[in-house]
Amino acid sequence: MVDQELPNAQFHRYQAPEAVPHSEESQSNVTAALTKMGLSEETAQKLGSGIGNLNLQGSLNKARDYARSNPGRFLGGMAAAVIGAGLLARGMKRR
């Protein structure tokens, strides 16, 4: 099998050895975004570090377990969320 995709598209962009790692770069981006929203630098750093420490895998596992044990409730909740998001988007589009 021959790979038809460009080789450079298969890898992350080049990063110099002395550059800031992507994981730390995204952390500073969160802090910068929170600062632009009007939060103080200290508060933005606290919130940014809190966001970085979230346990998403544990939350996903809880949601999967709940969906397996209560499929009707889960699907009903998802349908309500989709309908609500559609109504919200429609209402915002009218403005």
Side-chain angles (χ1 to χ4, degrees):
M1 184 170 140
V2 177
D3 190 0
Q4 300 296 326
E5 193 172 336
L6 293 173
N8 293 343
Q10 298 176 14
F11 303 104
H12 296 286
R13 62 183 166 92
Y14 172 75
Q15 191 170 18
E18 64 274 358
V20 177
H22 292 294
S23 59
E24 292 176 20
E25 186 178 89
S26 65
Q27 183 69 24
S28 63
N29 288 342
V30 170
T31 305
L34 292 173
T35 305
K36 284 182 184 179
M37 295 168 110
L39 295 174
S40 68
E41 183 72 27
E42 181 182 339
T43 306
Q45 286 178 351
K46 286 180 183 178
L47 282 173
S49 65
I51 291 170
N53 294 333
L54 288 177
N55 182 5
L56 294 178
Q57 190 63 36
S59 298
L60 285 174
N61 287 339
K62 284 181 185 179
R64 283 185 190 121
D65 291 342
Y66 182 78
R68 285 183 186 127
S69 63
N70 302 306
R73 286 185 181 176
F74 182 77
L75 290 175
M78 292 298 294
V82 168
I83 291 169
L87 291 173
L88 182 64
R90 184 177 171 196
M92 298 206 44
K93 199 180 250 188
R94 286 185 178 179
R95 290 183 177 186

